[in-house]
Amino acid sequence: MNIDVIGKKDGFIIRLAKAEDAINYYEQNYCPLDKEVARLTGCKEEFSKEEVVSFFMKSLEEDGRYFFLIIAPNGEIIGESVINEIDWDLRCANFRIGLYRQTERGKGIGTWATEITRDFAFEELKLHRLELDVYSFNPRAEKVYLKAGFKREGVLRDAILDGDKYADDILMSILESEWKELKKAE
């Protein structure tokens, strides 16, 4: 499969990550990492350059991962959209997305990237199921996923901490048949 760019819109592109992106990925998004990104994704707030670059390079080598970068019109990396944990026998995978810049949120970029990556999962990878989880304190993301056709499957109650309060981890997925119906309706 020969892929690079999977989506273009209003000067934004979604394309596969490349080794030469590693330093820019770190410098443009982790110096420092937006505190809200850390909160909404459940990761720590500070990473060393070595940690980020090492993870980035390992991600490129994984057979069960498609690591896409979301690139702004000015060429800067503003986010990522990832299909990972691919089980080729079951034809299922996990999905995650992150927009690193507060200034880019609320413009529909996340919705567009979610839909483009979802379509890639079913059209190109021929998956049967795409799943994700989202924290209950991130209703904006849950709304994006519902709009993209994901359905709530369950809730892991009080499964995470948001500061000093417990919150739920919401499990969602979309099946191949649901995606096909969604595409017919477009």
Side-chain angles (χ1 to χ4, degrees):
M1 184 182 328
N2 184 14
I3 54 160
D4 185 25
V5 174
I6 64 167
K8 292 182 180 184
K9 178 183 178 183
D10 300 332
F12 290 89
I13 65 168
I14 303 174
R15 66 162 173 79
L16 279 175
K18 302 172 189 170
E20 57 266 24
D21 295 317
I23 301 300
N24 284 339
Y25 175 81
Y26 169 74
E27 291 176 351
Q28 294 171 8
N29 299 297
Y30 286 86
C31 297
L33 179 63
D34 182 276
K35 289 186 183 305
E36 188 70 359
V37 169
R39 177 178 173 253
L40 297 177
T41 60
C43 71
K44 63 185 185 176
E45 290 184 13
E46 292 185 24
F47 292 87
S48 71
K49 183 176 183 178
E50 183 181 324
E51 284 177 301
V52 173
V53 171
S54 175
F55 176 78
F56 188 97
M57 298 307 283
K58 285 178 187 169
S59 294
L60 297 178
E61 297 169 5
E62 285 184 30
D63 288 335
R65 178 187 300 259
Y66 283 81
F67 181 16
F68 298 104
L69 298 178
I70 304 168
I71 312 291
N74 67 3
E76 291 193 1
I77 299 165
I78 61 162
E80 62 186 65
S81 184
V82 180
I83 299 169
N84 61 0
E85 301 173 16
I86 300 172
D87 182 322
W88 294 109
D89 293 329
L90 288 175
R91 296 177 37 231
C92 66
N94 179 266
F95 169 72
R96 67 179 176 78
I97 184 171
L99 287 179
Y100 291 111
R101 312 258 178 100
Q102 181 75 29
T103 56
E104 302 300 340
R105 295 184 211 131
K107 297 180 177 179
I109 298 165
T111 300
W112 168 71
T114 297
E115 292 171 353
I116 292 294
T117 309
R118 173 208 64 198
D119 290 352
F120 177 85
F122 291 111
E123 289 171 359
E124 301 299 327
L125 302 182
K126 308 297 185 204
L127 294 183
H128 171 71
R129 172 189 165 85
L130 190 61
E131 63 189 29
L132 60 85
D133 62 314
V134 61
Y135 300 145
S136 57
F137 52 82
N138 193 356
R140 186 172 64 208
E142 184 181 8
K143 183 178 175 184
V144 167
Y145 302 141
L146 290 167
K147 183 178 177 186
F150 287 84
K151 306 227 183 311
R152 265 184 174 230
E153 289 192 320
V155 176
L156 302 175
R157 298 176 305 140
D158 285 357
I160 56 162
L161 279 174
D162 181 27
D164 60 353
K165 295 180 181 176
Y166 284 100
D168 297 339
D169 189 1
I170 302 164
L171 309 177
M172 303 180 80
S173 74
I174 182 171
L175 302 177
E176 180 180 22
S177 58
E178 295 165 338
W179 171 75
K180 286 179 179 176
E181 285 301 312
L182 190 69
K183 295 307 278 184
K184 274 187 207 173
E186 288 182 353

